[in-house]
């Protein structure tokens, strides 16, 4: 499968350390939720799946940052991930989050499909 570039949202929709923008992808033949956030000025995206147990991170809809806005937090297990890399930085983790490549140009954030990710067809 080739790499496709898909518009996700307007750049202004991603506010520093604020709510995530959700989207769906197909990963390992399953439709999964993913999310995009802004951290230190850069748009970042990951599968919304804790590496400890495959559950979504959100403690409330689209809230994946801890109260400090510094870490991505699994509300169920307390696992903490670095927003720039997806690496586990604390709590019960088995590796890091699955990163999704993003680019940003002319006020639009795009996500990139890869060998293990593809867009959900509606």
């Amino acid at each position: 499968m080739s790499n496709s570039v898909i518009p996700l949202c307007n750049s202004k929709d991603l506010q520093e350390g604020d709510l995530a923008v959700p989207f769906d992808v197909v990963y390992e033949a399953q439709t999964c939720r993913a999310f995009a956030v802004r951290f230190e000025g850069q748009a970042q995206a990951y599968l919304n799946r804790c590496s400890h147990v495959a559950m979504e991170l959100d403690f409330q809809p689209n809230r994946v940052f801890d109260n400090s806005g510094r870490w991505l937090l699994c509300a169920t297990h307390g696992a903490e991930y670095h927003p720039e890399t997806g690496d586990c930085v604390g709590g019960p983790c088995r590796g890091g989050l699955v990163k999704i490549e993003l680019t940003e140009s002319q006020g639009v954030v795009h996500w990139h499909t890869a060998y293990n990710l593809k867009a959900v067809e509606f």
Side-chain angles (χ1 to χ4, degrees), residues 16-65:
E16 187 73 29
D18 202 3
L19 294 178
V21 171
F23 60 108
D24 291 326
V25 300
V26 174
Y27 177 74
E28 296 183 346
Q30 294 181 343
T31 299
C32 300
R33 204 70 164 152
F35 65 87
V37 293
R38 187 170 304 282
F39 180 73
E40 295 184 350
Q42 298 297 309
Q44 307 290 345
Y46 300 95
L47 282 186
N48 193 354
R49 183 182 286 185
C50 182
S51 68
H52 174 232
V53 175
M55 296 182 71
E56 293 185 358
L57 276 64
D58 317 37
F59 64 92
Q60 293 177 349
N62 306 322
R63 292 199 179 275
V64 294
F65 278 103

Side-chain angles (χ1 to χ4, degrees), residues 66-86:
D66 69 354
N67 289 335
S68 73
R70 180 169 170 82
W71 308 111
L72 299 174
L73 179 67
C74 175
T76 304
H77 309 109
E80 295 175 313
Y81 302 92
H82 196 287
E84 186 176 6
T85 63

